[in-house]
């Protein structure tokens, strides 16, 4: 079976990465496509669901996973830890399923060191003014937190240079279509289509009595 591809997506907070991921399914469907759910030790926020938004675990459970080498990457962010479990990624790739993972720049860097074959995609907002408008509009953060996110935005955006692909999210549906096109292009490389192409060639060989 042909192995699936791993796609890592990063963006500054407010660039619309989560909306982009939600819209991706409408372009590709969910067949042969999986999204990673990270583990975290922080408590759920209002409306978040365990196993959907994150796998919520306590410190002891997270530490047990670290010691058992069950994470492809993990880090402490302020007072909590976040990690990408190998079980979320490796079995799916082995089954020929493409895996999409959204994570911050630091997490993507660590994961690419572990899996350099991963494809990296950076999502940019179209402008500073638009990023500020989106952060203010979603109302999820206090003014101080929004100011800190905006202050960090330039250093995050400059990391686009380390990524294989760049998408400007000025129009959500166009950005989702662009992301889908990147995944489709990888799916149709000759190396990945080898089994399908050979099966078709065998069908022709049988029909033509072995003639070449």
């Amino acid at each position: 079976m042909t192995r699936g591809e791993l796609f890592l997506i990063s963006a500054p907070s407010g660039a619309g990465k989560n909306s982009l991921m939600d819209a991706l399914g409408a372009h590709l469907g969910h067949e042969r496509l999986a999204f990673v759910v990270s583990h975290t030790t922080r408590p759920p926020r209002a409306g978040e669901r365990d196993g959907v938004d994150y796998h919520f675990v306590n410190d002891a459970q997270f530490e047990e996973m670290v010691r058992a080498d069950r994470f492809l990457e993990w880090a402490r962010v302020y007072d909590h830890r976040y990690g990408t479990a190998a079980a979320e990624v490796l079995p799916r790739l082995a089954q020929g399923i493409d895996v999409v993972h959204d994570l911050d720049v630091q997490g993507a860097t660590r994961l690419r060191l572990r899996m350099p074959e991963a494809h990296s995609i950076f999502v940019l907002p179209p402008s500073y003014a638009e990023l500020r408008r989106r952060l203010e509009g979603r109302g999820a953060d206090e003014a101080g937190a929004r100011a800190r996110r905006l202050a960090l935005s330039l250093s995050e955006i400059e990391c686009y240079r380390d990524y294989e692909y760049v998408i400007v999210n000025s129009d959500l549906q166009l950005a989702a279509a662009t992301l889908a096109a990147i995944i489709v292009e990888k799916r149709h490389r000759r190396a990945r289509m080898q089994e399908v192409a050979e099966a078709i060639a065998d069908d022709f060989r049988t029909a033509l009595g072995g003639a070449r």
Side-chain angles (χ1 to χ4, degrees):
M1 179 179 293
T2 304
R3 185 176 174 84
E5 308 274 356
L6 174 60
F7 299 88
L8 309 178
I9 303 178
S10 301
S13 180
K17 180 179 59 178
N18 292 338
S19 297
L20 178 60
M21 299 280 281
D22 291 340
L24 178 62
H27 289 269
L28 285 180
H30 293 280
E31 184 180 359
R32 295 172 54 232
L33 185 69
F35 297 90
V36 171
V37 179
S38 298
H39 284 67
T40 183
T41 60
R42 76 159 173 80
R45 295 170 182 157
E48 288 184 331
R49 294 172 292 168
D50 183 44
V52 176
D53 298 286
Y54 284 96
H55 295 293
F56 295 100
V57 296
N58 59 38
D59 286 313
Q61 291 171 317
F62 196 99
E63 182 60 29
E64 181 181 350
M65 292 180 70
V66 171
R67 292 182 178 179
D69 194 28
R70 291 171 59 188
F71 287 117
L72 295 174
E73 63 83 26
W74 70 271
R76 182 177 294 276
V77 181
Y78 300 112
D79 296 327
H80 304 292
R81 289 191 284 183
Y82 297 79
T84 303
E88 285 280 325
V89 177
L90 301 183
R92 289 164 167 167
L93 295 179
Q95 294 165 14
I97 298 171
D98 293 322
V99 176
V100 180
H101 190 12
D102 66 295
L103 69 177
D104 63 18
V105 170
Q106 291 77 17
T109 299
R110 290 190 298 270
L111 192 43
R112 279 186 289 171
L113 289 173
R114 186 84 176 258
M115 301 183 69
E117 71 276 14
H119 307 292
S120 57
I121 303 161
F122 199 89
V123 179
L124 288 170
S127 67
Y128 175 86
E130 177 61 17
L131 181 65
R132 182 174 62 185
R133 186 192 69 80
R134 292 176 185 178
L135 286 173
E136 292 172 350
R138 71 185 189 180
D141 301 311
E142 296 179 352
R146 288 198 298 271
R148 287 192 296 273
R149 291 183 189 278
L150 287 169
L152 290 172
S153 61
L154 176 58
S155 62
E156 291 179 318
I157 283 171
E158 288 177 334
C159 293
Y160 83 87
R161 301 182 183 95
D162 299 324
Y163 285 69
E164 187 179 358
Y165 298 93
V166 175
I167 297 174
V168 178
N169 187 15
S170 54
D171 178 276
L172 178 60
Q173 293 306 316
L174 179 58
T178 303
L179 177 56
I182 292 170
I183 295 174
V184 169
E185 185 274 327
K186 296 301 181 186
R187 286 179 172 180
H188 288 272
R189 287 177 298 160
R190 183 180 60 79
R192 188 160 178 184
M193 292 295 294
Q194 186 79 21
E195 290 183 14
V196 173
E198 281 302 314
I200 293 171
D202 283 343
D203 175 64
F204 273 75
R205 293 184 189 108
T206 300
L208 295 173
R212 291 184 176 271

